[in-house]
Amino acid sequence: MVNEELELFIHSYGRKPQMVRAAAHEVLKEVLIRVGLLKEGQDDMVFVGESEEVLTEPDEVEDGIDQHAPVDVLLTIDVLELRRHHHVHVHKCRHVAVEVNFNGRTKRHRFSPATTVGVVTRWARRKFKLEGAAGAEYVLQVCKSTKQPRSDEHLGELVEPSVCSICFDLVKEITPQG
Amino acid sequence: METPDQRLFEADLLSAEFRAGSLKGFWGLAGCDVLPDQPAWPVRILWMAAAPRANAPDRYYVRLDLSGYRSVAPTGTFWDPTTKSILEISKRPKGKPDSRFARVFRTDSWPHSGSAFYHPYDRVAAKDHTQWPTEQPHLVWDSNHTIVDYLEEFHSLLNSGDYIGV
């Protein structure tokens, strides 16, 4: 069991996620160095799993902040429970400051880079009272662009490490016509 | 002998994005529980999970023609694992009236009803709608798109509040 190889999905800014195999006893830092996503002395933060904690945040909270913390990369895959989490995120930002605009109003939250666009969308629909079927057609579009990131993309893949923030508009998806 | 489009598709099945969605139970390639072998290339049968609805299946299969992948968008429609043929309209997923879901999976009469999805990611539908790239620039299929973009788009619809069952 200890030598069993696990599939890990490694995420970082500006590149497609990478699938790597690692043994349960391997130290995470060594795995990340092996695949070229970490170098000795590099101070990037590493998160495991996918953060969904905003979905349980009380409605009245404004400008909230995720508690999802970076891990100690000197721990093993096994100890970090990557058998369950699978996803590993390497990023320079501790949080990604997200602004979502809708109908002239703005909602803000500081997310873990390990948060998917799908989770941010669900949070935004709730904040703007667009839950249920009425909100199903509302999606996030990067401000001043036509880019609508896929719901399985993570904030850490979208946000430049030097910026640590991103702005979205919540827009109604166009229904094909004609 | 495998063609370049087939090799590219099979490489994408091994990508982190496809595997991660598969591990979450979002989608997959149809297995030997529904057919002993995949059809000859360029056709592949895949499935996407759907939100629970009364008397509706927990997944839908699609039969896709992937010729020219990735330069060319897929085309195809729902497939019935029982009859091994195109899924009849009465068994297709339905959406709330006038919703985007109902439009994309429309079952009323249009030239390709029953054989393609009414969406820019379907090459047959896209060919007939030259205004779509202007209206929906984020959904223009190009060679940077993969089968995961296709699956994620339709999986999202099948798990949206506009999906009401069959």
Side-chain angles (χ1 to χ4, degrees):
Chain A
M1 208 50 182
V2 174
N3 291 324
E4 178 196 354
E5 282 213 326
L6 306 174
E7 276 183 356
L8 304 181
F9 308 114
I10 317 280
H11 307 266
S12 60
Y13 168 69
R15 55 194 290 175
K16 292 212 167 213
Q18 192 174 346
M19 188 171 71
V20 300
R21 291 188 172 277
H25 68 270
E26 278 192 89
V27 170
L28 180 56
K29 183 178 179 179
E30 288 169 3
V31 175
L32 295 174
I33 288 174
R34 172 155 57 84
V35 298
L37 281 171
L38 207 61
K39 291 177 185 162
E40 283 294 350
Q42 194 174 322
D43 59 354
D44 287 16
M45 281 167 276
V46 177
F47 301 80
V48 299
E50 294 181 306
S51 176
E52 295 192 347
E53 63 185 80
V54 74
L55 300 178
T56 54
E57 179 187 74
D59 276 354
E60 61 274 18
V61 173
E62 297 292 338
D63 300 339
I65 182 165
D66 282 358
Q67 300 302 310
H68 189 219
V71 298
D72 179 355
V73 290
L74 295 175
L75 296 175
T76 64
I77 303 294
D78 196 31
V79 170
L80 290 168
E81 292 189 280
L82 280 165
R83 188 188 311 279
R84 180 165 64 88
H85 293 303
H86 291 288
H87 294 267
V88 177
H89 309 262
V90 181
H91 214 275
K92 289 196 181 300
C93 305
R94 171 71 181 81
H95 290 102
V96 174
V98 173
E99 281 187 358
V100 181
N101 305 312
F102 177 71
N103 255 356
R105 290 185 300 147
T106 301
K107 297 290 180 184
R108 296 178 180 84
H109 188 94
R110 294 177 70 199
F111 286 92
S112 159
T115 311
T116 61
V117 169
V119 167
V120 180
T121 306
R122 286 164 66 189
W123 165 80
R125 287 175 185 160
R126 200 185 72 206
K127 287 309 239 186
F128 290 111
K129 313 291 182 206
L130 289 168
E131 287 176 290
E137 296 181 359
Y138 286 87
V139 294
L140 295 178
Q141 180 166 290
V142 177
C143 296
K144 298 176 183 167
S145 81
T146 57
K147 186 177 178 191
Q148 294 180 3
R150 259 186 5 220
S151 64
D152 61 340
E153 290 185 74
H154 298 83
L155 291 174
E157 293 165 84
L158 299 172
V159 173
E160 283 189 49
S162 60
V163 176
C164 296
S165 65
I166 190 165
C167 168
F168 294 109
D169 294 319
L170 191 61
V171 299
K172 195 165 192 286
E173 188 126 52
I174 292 169
T175 298
Q177 302 286 350
Chain B
M1 194 167 129
E2 288 187 356
T3 54
D5 51 359
Q6 183 179 1
R7 277 198 295 276
L8 200 47
F9 177 74
E10 287 176 3
D12 284 344
L13 293 185
L14 299 174
S15 70
E17 293 160 302
F18 184 88
R19 289 286 307 141
S22 190
L23 206 61
K24 288 177 179 170
F26 288 176
W27 52 64
L29 198 62
C32 51
D33 53 327
V34 295
L35 77 173
D37 293 301
Q38 284 283 335
W41 182 260
V43 175
R44 287 292 179 267
I45 311 285
L46 294 108
W47 59 266
M48 291 173 280
R53 299 288 185 266
N55 304 314
D58 58 4
R59 62 171 62 173
Y60 288 94
Y61 290 83
V62 285
R63 180 187 187 277
L64 300 182
D65 179 334
L66 294 151
S67 51
Y69 182 88
R70 294 179 203 159
S71 310
V72 180
T75 184
T77 193
F78 294 111
W79 182 81
D80 190 331
T82 308
T83 63
K84 318 294 185 208
S85 58
I86 299 298
L87 190 65
E88 62 183 71
I89 285 175
S90 63
K91 294 180 179 174
R92 292 191 179 207
K94 309 294 189 307
K96 293 192 171 161
D98 303 322
S99 65
R100 183 169 182 266
F101 184 106
R103 196 72 178 161
V104 168
F105 297 133
R106 58 189 290 190
T107 51
D108 59 346
S109 61
W110 67 289
H112 308 292
S113 184
S115 63
F117 293 147
Y118 196 71
H119 188 282
Y121 279 177
D122 188 294
R123 68 168 180 262
V124 171
K127 190 179 171 195
D128 291 349
H129 296 86
T130 52
Q131 77 280 19
W132 282 358
T134 309
E135 293 170 356
Q136 304 166 86
H138 60 290
L139 293 177
V140 175
W141 184 277
D142 61 24
S143 58
N144 291 318
H145 285 74
T146 73
I147 191 64
V148 177
D149 291 291
Y150 184 97
L151 293 170
E152 197 277 338
E153 178 73 11
F154 298 115
H155 173 266
S156 291
L157 281 169
L158 290 168
N159 287 273
S160 72
D162 284 340
Y163 166 52
I164 57 175
V166 294

